[in-house]
Amino acid sequence: MMRSRSVGRFGACLLLVAGGCRESVTSNPSETLLEPYALALPAHFPPFPHPVPSQAKADLGRLLFHDFRLSVDDARSCGICHEGKKGYTDGFVVAVGALGDAHTRNTLSLLNLAWRGPLTWVDPSLEDPVEQMQVPLFGRHPVEMGTDPSTLPDKLAGIDVYPPAFAAAWPDDPSPITMTHVEDALAAYELLIVAGNTPYDRYLLGEHEAMSADQKAGMELFYSERTGCGGCHGGLFFDRPATADGTPTSDRPEYLNTGLYNIDGAGGLPPNETGLHALTGDQEDMGRFRVPSLRGVAETGPWGHDGSYGALADIVDDYARGGRLLVGGPWPGDGRDSPWKDPRITGFSLSATEHAQLVAFLEALTDVEANARPFLQTPFCAEELDSGHLDCIPVEP
Ligand code: HEC
Ligand code: HEC
């Protein structure tokens, strides 16, 4: 396995000459660490829309993102809810916070976050990653990490790996371990989660055999008038309004109701999660959620804003039906007849072969190479010892 620069540096130091690493980095920050992070953008991606951080800041962000000790019970990190191998989600129906609180929504993927625009399932005005992270760090309803901003800097100062890492990122600051810097480094790291080497991308770049025949047939269906998928999941990130062939018509995402619920025949949603409606109070916003990116979608299950889908095939079935029918259970109703459903969801028919091909196309959107990239994995040993990856930082008690 490739050695990551950060882990090689800090990890090897800690393992071989515990304590010695800190001094050498603080007193003589390496030039390499101050250089911009070597961002390898896929050739067909748009330019990176944020400043590229230094290697040192990116490395620090990686540590913080994966460190359980940022949370109130030393058991939740950003990375435990946004895990690389699960397409930067957590595999849960809805997220579960440090104190066992359940979130009302399914964890969103962070893949290619840099190009997302407005963040979260519901808030069109929330664009700043630092503003967004106030919720998982400090939110009370639910508690996600329960981080205490008044004690975290001191706590980090007492953990061997952090003083040299903060000093390398802010070499001119005599006391760089601050909450502002924690947030700055976290944002820098999450924006570097770039993944554009899927079979679909390789196909786009001219490698015609990168997708199987079924995946290619599924792609034709995805971008057809019949299914209309590409009209909502358009553009390179599958999250912009577009013409049927996927050519974007706007750089803003849409917030839509796809007919998942129709409680009492009035288009109602489960009252704890009504989407954009909860922000605006407007009835017509009932059940509207941001169109999610489909990159990595085969790994981000369960799916839907509330994690109520266990299989991609079921999602395709319900689009074909023109809305979801729920019989029995707490929220019965026929989403096909919801007054708030987007008019483009009208249903269509697919043969069993075509159905499988459409799902096969969704499976061509996974970047296996990114999943193995050390920079996108936790640098701490706790999880990695099992996988035989020993070039990692032991977590101190
Ligand atoms: C308990 C699980 C959990 C933890 C811990 C957590 N997140 Fe999240 N994250 C979520 C959920 C759930 C959503 C969807 C939130 C919503 O729609 O309001 C989300 C959404 C996001 C988004 C928006 C993605 C998008 O496509 O709009 C970003 C960015 C993000 N999280 C970053 C972080 C960072 C940084 C941390 C650590 C400080 C973190 N998260 C910790 C569960 C978690
Ligand atoms: C009218 C716009 C629209 C059309 C057409 C559309 N989608 Fe969606 N799609 C959405 C929205 C909005 C969501 C989020 C719905 C929710 O969870 O409430 C979504 C969610 C999904 C999800 C779940 C993603 C996740 O991470 O949870 C998948 C998979 C998906 N769509 C695939 C497709 C496919 C395949 C088609 C064509 C058959 C299609 N979509 C057509 C708007 C659309």
Side-chain angles (χ1 to χ4, degrees), residues 106-109 121 221-222 227-233 254-258 260 269 287-294 297 300-309 312 315-316 319-320 342-345 348 350 358 362:
N106 181 256
T107 300
L108 277 163
S109 167
W121 281 104
L221 287 164
F222 187 91
T227 68
C229 312
C232 284
H233 296 281
E254 291 183 291
Y255 295 75
L256 304 170
N257 178 321
T258 54
L260 301 192
L269 263 82
R288 286 185 183 225
F289 293 88
R290 192 189 71 195
V291 177
S293 168
L294 299 181
V297 72
T300 64
W303 297 269
H305 68 264
D306 56 0
S308 56
Y309 279 105
L312 287 173
I315 301 179
V316 171
Y319 278 121
D342 189 272
R344 285 165 287 185
I345 310 276
F348 48 84
L350 289 179
L358 191 49
L362 297 175

Side-chain angles (χ1 to χ4, degrees), residues 309-357:
Y309 279 105
L312 287 173
D314 295 344
I315 301 179
V316 171
D317 282 340
D318 286 343
Y319 278 121
R321 192 182 171 278
R324 179 166 70 179
L325 175 64
L326 291 174
V327 183
W331 313 115
D334 191 346
R336 184 160 58 183
D337 304 327
S338 164
W340 312 121
K341 188 186 73 170
D342 189 272
R344 285 165 287 185
I345 310 276
T346 51
F348 48 84
S349 63
L350 289 179
S351 70
T353 306
E354 288 173 326
H355 183 282
Q357 288 169 334

Side-chain angles (χ1 to χ4, degrees), residues 194-238:
V194 176
N197 185 16
T198 68
Y200 169 73
D201 292 296
R202 293 201 296 279
Y203 174 88
L204 283 184
L205 292 170
E207 200 185 310
H208 291 288
E209 301 316 312
M211 286 204 290
S212 69
D214 278 343
Q215 290 171 339
K216 284 183 235 178
M219 179 178 69
E220 294 297 324
L221 287 164
F222 187 91
Y223 293 115
S224 68
E225 302 271 357
R226 173 153 52 123
T227 68
C229 312
C232 284
H233 296 281
L236 199 52
F237 303 104
F238 302 90

Side-chain angles (χ1 to χ4, degrees), residues 64-65 70 76-82 90 94-98 101 103-110 113 116-123 129 132-133 135-137 143-145 147 186-187 190 290:
L64 293 166
F65 187 89
L70 262 62
R76 279 286 179 293
S77 61
C78 310
I80 208 168
C81 285
H82 298 284
D90 53 12
V94 288
V96 181
D101 291 4
H103 203 285
T104 55
R105 295 189 283 271
N106 181 256
T107 300
L108 277 163
S109 167
L110 304 186
L113 185 75
R116 196 82 86 238
L119 303 172
T120 77
W121 281 104
V122 289
D123 191 346
Q132 187 280 330
M133 72 177 69
V135 176
L137 285 171
V143 170
E144 292 183 58
M145 295 173 69
T147 307
L186 280 172
E190 65 180 349
R290 192 189 71 195

